[in-house]
Amino acid sequence: MPDHTAADSAGARPRVLHLISDSRRGGAQNFARDLHRELRRRGQASALCALAPHPASPPARSGAVASGVCTAETVVPGTCDEECPDTAGLRAAAVLGPGRLRPSTLRALRSAARAADVVLAHGSDTLAACALALAGTRTPFVYVSVGHPRYWTANRLRRLRGGALMHRAAAVTTLTDEAREVLEGQFQLPGGKVRVIPNSRAAESYPPADGRAERRAARHALGLPADVLLVAWIGAIAPEKRLDLALDVLDRLPDVRLAVAGDGPLRETLARHPAAARAHFLGPLPDPVPLYRAADALLLTSDSEGVPGALIEAALAGVPAVATDVGWVREVVRDGATGALVAPGDPLALAEALAKVLACNRAGLGAAARAHALEHFELGAVVDDWQRLVAEVWTGASDSR
């Protein structure tokens, strides 16, 4: 039997393909990028592909590379991200096709997966794509679930669809024991199929600002005012993320500015909010780090979350957070110690909590947030778990052939 946990020149470790829904920098995408880089740093073959381009990207010409992202025509199976440096100096994800579940995209995924031993599907769209594209192949896939399962299993149709797709996966990962119990109960997944691996980020990717000068420089680079209280809001401008609440909070705090990073269907509507004049709509940032370094605090106003990556990223960057107490947010934000927690849907309570965080020792709260994140959510602590799971799935697939 080969040693599936030790890398050597003969390729004893399985080759991993990370699949993300699109080339944005959302929570699932950021984690996939960090895990991909760490696996490669450890000597494991790893590639990164996206099902579709960034929604804001213009259609690319055949064979062209636009905005640092490879088009479907430039994808070479097994090299997905090898030739695609992005503007941040990182490797960008090769884009497989024009849409997430388009036939040409699924064909490209099936082709790229031939050069992989295990595919990690990061996010719900990638679950459907892998279940369809990899049917009948020898390449197993692992579904990486990052949201709160009760939110996306709220109706019977979603449960039936999700269950059918997850039964096709070789394994499913989730963030907490409670989420595992929900998945097993809702979808009758067999014991041992759902694994708990905490959300995490690479600390080196989110360095704190070193003093006021670096904070001012980060604001200048983003076109933000230098000498104001600045709060960051990061996410999709979609109903469940509740940017409307953040703007209601801003309406109650006249000395505060809000920097909004993201895009979505509600952007134009919310840009007409009475407080929007003091909000800076930055659009989807290619890299969120400058905003963390520019911000005095992070505000999260969602109605539903799992263990939000943005909270982990902000904490590693030394930024305190005010967040709604949903999902497992409280595992990242310690109320009164690293930030503040508030019941969802209450703009007055959010405004009071944010005012208190901004008025107190922000540096102390930020340092405590970073220490907590380094102890519980640093990527290095969980990569061993990912490598063991990938090796186990690979071995199981090999034994079943």
Side-chain angles (χ1 to χ4, degrees):
M1 287 287 291
D3 178 2
H4 293 300
T5 61
D8 60 26
S9 58
R13 283 183 173 175
R15 298 164 298 174
V16 178
L17 171 61
H18 299 269
L19 184 66
I20 56 180
S21 59
D22 55 52
S23 55
R24 281 180 291 191
R25 288 190 173 269
Q29 293 96 324
N30 286 353
F31 172 70
R33 288 180 173 95
D34 278 0
L35 180 57
H36 160 62
R37 286 195 297 268
E38 180 61 18
L39 290 178
R40 292 182 68 165
R41 190 186 69 79
R42 293 186 178 201
Q44 185 153 2
S46 179
L48 177 68
C49 286
L51 289 172
H54 193 294
S57 298
R61 301 183 308 276
S62 177
V65 176
S67 302
V69 177
C70 293
T71 65
E73 291 82 5
T74 65
V75 172
V76 178
T79 64
C80 275
D81 63 338
E82 297 296 329
E83 304 299 332
C84 308
D86 66 15
T87 55
L90 306 174
R91 294 289 183 179
V95 176
L96 294 172
R100 297 180 183 183
L101 297 178
R102 296 278 289 272
S104 60
T105 304
L106 298 180
R107 287 194 297 271
L109 171 57
R110 190 179 181 93
S111 178
R114 292 194 190 109
D117 297 304
V118 177
V119 176
L120 296 184
H122 299 265
S124 58
D125 288 319
T126 63
L127 169 63
C130 284
L132 292 169
L134 303 185
T137 73
R138 294 185 172 184
T139 306
F141 73 92
V142 176
Y143 172 48
V144 184
S145 174
V146 298
H148 196 304
R150 291 197 189 280
Y151 184 80
W152 50 265
T153 60
N155 62 60
R156 185 171 181 271
L157 180 60
R158 281 187 173 186
R159 288 194 295 273
L160 289 173
R161 177 179 178 272
L165 296 173
M166 272 188 270
H167 277 275
R168 299 291 303 275
V172 176
T173 69
T174 192
L175 304 178
T176 69
D177 286 324
E178 183 183 343
R180 175 185 55 79
E181 292 170 2
V182 172
L183 290 173
E184 290 176 342
Q186 292 278 17
F187 303 118
Q188 289 78 53
L189 297 174
K193 184 162 190 166
V194 183
R195 309 298 181 85
V196 176
I197 303 181
N199 202 357
S200 58
R201 292 291 188 273
E204 64 190 26
S205 297
Y206 305 95
D210 186 13
R212 185 176 180 183
E214 286 196 3
R215 192 174 302 280
R216 288 172 63 93
R219 293 184 180 192
H220 177 75
L222 293 169
L224 297 170
D227 297 310
V228 298
L229 289 171
L230 183 70
V231 175
W233 188 98
I234 298 176
I237 306 179
E240 71 275 9
K241 299 298 184 179
R242 298 302 304 272
L243 178 58
D244 60 310
L245 280 180
L247 293 170
D248 288 343
V249 168
L250 193 63
D251 210 17
R252 291 168 165 81
L253 301 175
D255 296 330
V256 174
R257 297 288 186 94
L258 186 71
V260 178
D263 206 350
L266 298 181
R267 175 171 176 168
E268 290 188 11
T269 298
L270 293 177
R272 297 192 292 270
H273 189 284
R278 288 187 289 113
H280 303 268
F281 288 84
L282 304 176
L285 295 177
D287 183 4
V289 170
L291 182 53
Y292 295 130
R293 293 166 68 83
D296 293 303
L298 179 77
L299 180 61
L300 183 141
T301 49
S302 303
D303 283 339
S304 176
E305 289 286 355
V307 181
L311 289 179
I312 296 172
E313 294 165 9
L316 288 170
V319 180
V322 175
T324 45
D325 190 7
V326 296
W328 301 285
V329 164
R330 62 175 48 243
E331 295 197 5
V332 186
V333 180
R334 295 298 175 91
D335 190 32
T338 69
L341 291 173
V342 178
D346 189 342
L348 178 59
L350 281 165
E352 291 175 348
L354 182 59
K356 185 175 180 180
V357 165
L358 291 172
C360 72
N361 179 12
R362 295 194 300 274
L365 289 174
R370 178 170 169 79
H372 178 67
L374 287 172
E375 181 179 356
H376 297 282
F377 301 106
E378 211 287 313
L379 182 67
V382 300
V383 172
D384 288 346
D385 292 338
W386 281 105
Q387 289 187 293
R388 280 191 289 269
L389 175 59
V390 167
E392 182 181 325
V393 167
W394 178 43
T395 302
S398 300
D399 291 346
S400 66
R401 289 170 191 165

